């Protein structure tokens, strides 16, 4: 069902959204950067350890458009998902 939203994560951590935002900023991190890192690590894991299609992996990592997944993956690794696999 995609990546949970900022407010959902803040609630799961038992803190307000502004507090989570301040803590991320203190660590030099943004929610989007954290989300991208999680997606990158999940995508790499799926490509290494499963035989699922690249489009399925795109969906599993929260991308609704496979071409957006391909662009992001290439930005993260310098390779297309197919080449990486």
């Amino acid at each position: 069902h995609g990546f949970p939203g900022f407010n959902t994560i803040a609630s799961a951590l038992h803190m307000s959204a502004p507090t989570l935002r301040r803590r991320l900023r203190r660590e030099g991190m943004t929610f989007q950067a954290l989300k991208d890192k999680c997606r990158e690590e999940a995508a790499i894991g799926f490509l290494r350890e499963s035989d699922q299609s690249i489009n399925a992996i795109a969906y599993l990592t929260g991308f609704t458009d496979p071409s957006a997944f391909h662009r992001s993956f290439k930005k993260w690794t310098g390779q297309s998902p197919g080449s990486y696999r």
Side-chain angles (χ1 to χ4, degrees), residues 38-48 57 61 69 73 76:
C38 290
R39 284 176 153 180
E40 176 186 356
E41 290 175 4
I44 287 170
F46 283 129
L47 286 168
R48 283 185 181 161
I57 292 170
T61 53
F69 172 70
F73 194 86
W76 297 329

Side-chain angles (χ1 to χ4, degrees), residues 35-77:
K35 182 175 160 179
D36 288 343
K37 190 65 178 166
C38 290
R39 284 176 153 180
E40 176 186 356
E41 290 175 4
I44 287 170
F46 283 129
L47 286 168
R48 283 185 181 161
E49 299 169 15
S50 80
D51 58 353
Q52 295 187 57
S53 73
I54 292 172
N55 286 351
I57 292 170
Y59 176 76
L60 288 170
T61 53
F63 288 87
T64 56
D65 179 16
S67 63
F69 172 70
H70 281 262
R71 282 190 306 274
S72 292
F73 194 86
K74 187 152 188 166
K75 184 178 85 173
W76 297 329
T77 66

Side-chain angles (χ1 to χ4, degrees), residues 23-40:
R23 289 187 181 185
L24 287 171
R25 191 178 5 208
R26 196 176 10 203
E27 296 295 323
M29 182 65 69
T30 65
F31 179 67
Q32 186 62 48
L34 184 60
K35 182 175 160 179
D36 288 343
K37 190 65 178 166
C38 290
R39 284 176 153 180
E40 176 186 356

